[in-house]
Amino acid sequence: MRIVIAGSSGYLGTALTKALNGHDLVRLVRREPDAEDEIRWDPYGGPLDPSILDGVDAVVNLCGVPIAGQRWNEAYKRRIRTSRVVPTEVLAEAVARAGVPVLVNASAVGWYGDRAAVPVDESTPASTDYLGRTCLAWEQATAAAKDAGARVVRLRTSHVLGPDSPLLAKFVPVFKLCMGGRFGNGQQYLPWISLRDWVNAVVLLLEDGTSGAVNLVGPNPVTNREFTRSLGTALHRPTPWIIPGWAVKLVAGEAAVELLRGAKVRPAVLEEAGFAYQDRTVLDALKWALAEGR
């Protein structure tokens, strides 16, 4: 397959690009190209040159600045939204013009908001909070490709557990010092998937005919309390602490919603497709990620 990838330099994009070795790959980059498979583009500067998509079988879009790792002010919230919606609109319109048959586009489980312990799947409407509205606009930005007849897959990705993944890069050093603990009451769900399962699922979705939203989450949801206990087990460390919600908000500001709320997300579409998980429990995923990261 000839596949164009935007966002290939990020954590997920790097892993997916490696997994697609053997395909004819073209990577869209925002800097001066320094490899034969790279083409420079500026999604904020106008339409994509249509010749870039000549003969392309699929476009994968993983663009977007990180949600976590920075306090949200109004400027950064605009950047979160713009960095997702604008590149998606540009690529969807280019896919439509060029007649590319497949667009696989990033989204996130932030779509669901805070659902407590109520199970949700791909049929559940978007939350009305900031992340829910952002994910809705993100997914709606693929409309041009869908209207033109392309098969559009929207990847509602959860926290990805892999070697040096953003979540584990923050948590592991703290837990190794025996300072790990649950956030708030620990009853909020923390959707997760291992990096290798995420990559294998995306490769499958590029080829199997699935369209629409797909929850990229593990098959067994866990609460923050259960995740904390599992990470402590994987690291052979106790996790006695309770980190109050107010302390998380003091450090992270509005971005604390990522840790203090969650949804019990089911991977209904992947299960119906018969996807074979390599890591069916969060403990399996954590043990694999930590072993691979040594």
Side-chain angles (χ1 to χ4, degrees), residues 101-133:
V102 179
L103 171 62
V104 175
N105 205 84
S107 184
V109 294
W111 171 278
Y112 300 105
D114 188 1
R115 306 281 179 159
V118 178
V120 297
D121 63 20
E122 289 85 353
S123 66
T124 303
S127 168
T128 58
D129 65 5
Y130 166 71
L131 287 179
R133 296 194 308 272

Side-chain angles (χ1 to χ4, degrees), residues 8 17 30 34 45 68 79 87 104 115 129 135-136 138 156 158 183 191-192 200 204 240 247 251 254 256 263 289:
S8 64
T17 299
R30 301 281 309 279
D34 58 14
R79 190 179 174 201
V104 175
R115 306 281 179 159
D129 65 5
C135 288
L136 177 61
W138 195 1
R156 291 182 186 165
S158 56
F183 291 93
W192 64 274
N200 289 339
L204 172 69
V251 172
E254 190 177 348

Side-chain angles (χ1 to χ4, degrees), residues 186-224:
Q187 295 177 6
Q188 68 275 26
Y189 276 83
L190 191 151
W192 64 274
I193 189 170
S194 72
L195 177 63
R196 59 181 175 178
D197 281 333
W198 185 92
V199 168
N200 289 339
V202 175
V203 172
L204 172 69
L205 293 166
L206 273 166
E207 302 174 348
D208 79 340
T210 298
S211 63
V214 181
N215 290 333
L216 295 188
V217 297
N220 292 292
V222 297
T223 62
N224 179 270

